[in-house]
Amino acid sequence: MTPPRAWATACGALALASAAFWLAAGSGWLLPQNWIWHANGWPRAPWTLLTGALVHFQAPHWLGNLLALGAVAVLGTALGATGRDALALLVAWPLGTLALLLWPEVGGYWGLSGPIHAGVAVLALRALRTPGTRWLGRLLMAGLVFKLGLEASWANPVGFNDAWGFNVVYAAHLTGAGAGLATALVLGWLPSASRQNS
């Protein structure tokens, strides 16, 4: 699998899984409440570290997140995101959710916003590693830091969003971005198989 295809595949898997949850919930095949992440109940349902991000309760929220994920997929392909970048995104997905335990105010979480922020963080590092795209990496990182700073989720992890009409777990944006940065950095430091064999 070529590196750009790995990134597109990871983003596509997130989108398809979310679409499957949306269709299954709409058809009554599953109850979304049983698949979202709950701070108190996740040890009895550890799969919710993954499935929580796939659940959406409103079509505009779901479609907005799918569009954002599509933009992340296209940008990553254009930047030549590697298989390690795709792995960093997939590992950051549950880690970002688990990190929400840092805030007792966060009782539950659902939606793709955490993995989307993780993807942007991974791509910012990818762009910073290549001389020709460092300007874009700086722009992505600055935009991410600016957005997270405006949300100030470390102080206000959950807040009502007038545009969406429901409480948004802003802390998931911060933990998603942090998990994306951490996993991309760790995987970037690991020696590659080609270097080990040479």
Side-chain angles (χ1 to χ4, degrees):
M1 183 182 295
T2 59
R5 192 174 299 167
W7 181 263
T9 299
C11 292
L14 274 167
L16 287 175
S18 181
F21 267 78
W22 179 262
L23 293 173
S27 303
W29 293 347
L30 62 80
L31 290 174
Q33 293 84 351
N34 294 338
W35 298 90
I36 65 175
W37 179 81
H38 294 282
N40 293 330
W42 76 269
R44 295 184 301 278
W47 56 85
T48 60
L49 288 170
L50 295 169
T51 60
L54 305 176
V55 175
H56 295 79
F57 289 95
Q58 296 179 0
H61 182 218
W62 177 55
L63 292 173
N65 276 342
L66 284 184
L67 286 173
L69 184 60
V72 167
V74 169
L75 180 59
T77 301
L79 286 171
T82 67
R84 287 187 185 203
D85 295 327
L87 181 59
L89 170 61
L90 294 177
V91 172
W93 170 10
L95 290 181
T97 303
L98 187 61
L100 291 173
L101 292 171
L102 293 170
W103 290 274
E105 304 96 314
V106 180
Y109 163 70
W110 62 88
L112 281 167
S113 60
I116 289 167
H117 283 76
V120 173
V122 170
L123 293 182
L125 284 180
R126 166 57 42 213
L128 286 169
R129 289 186 175 118
T130 307
T133 59
R134 281 198 186 123
W135 65 272
L136 180 57
R138 293 187 190 105
L139 189 63
L140 284 171
M141 195 65 75
L144 189 59
V145 168
F146 181 72
K147 181 179 185 293
L148 295 174
L150 281 181
E151 292 174 347
S153 60
W154 51 87
N156 302 295
V158 181
F160 185 80
N161 186 294
D162 291 327
W164 290 118
F166 57 82
N167 281 334
V168 173
V169 181
Y170 292 114
H173 303 169
L174 179 62
T175 60
L181 283 172
T183 54
L185 285 170
V186 169
L187 290 171
W189 285 330
L190 293 177
S192 68
S194 61
R195 274 183 270 168
Q196 287 176 338
N197 296 331
S198 59

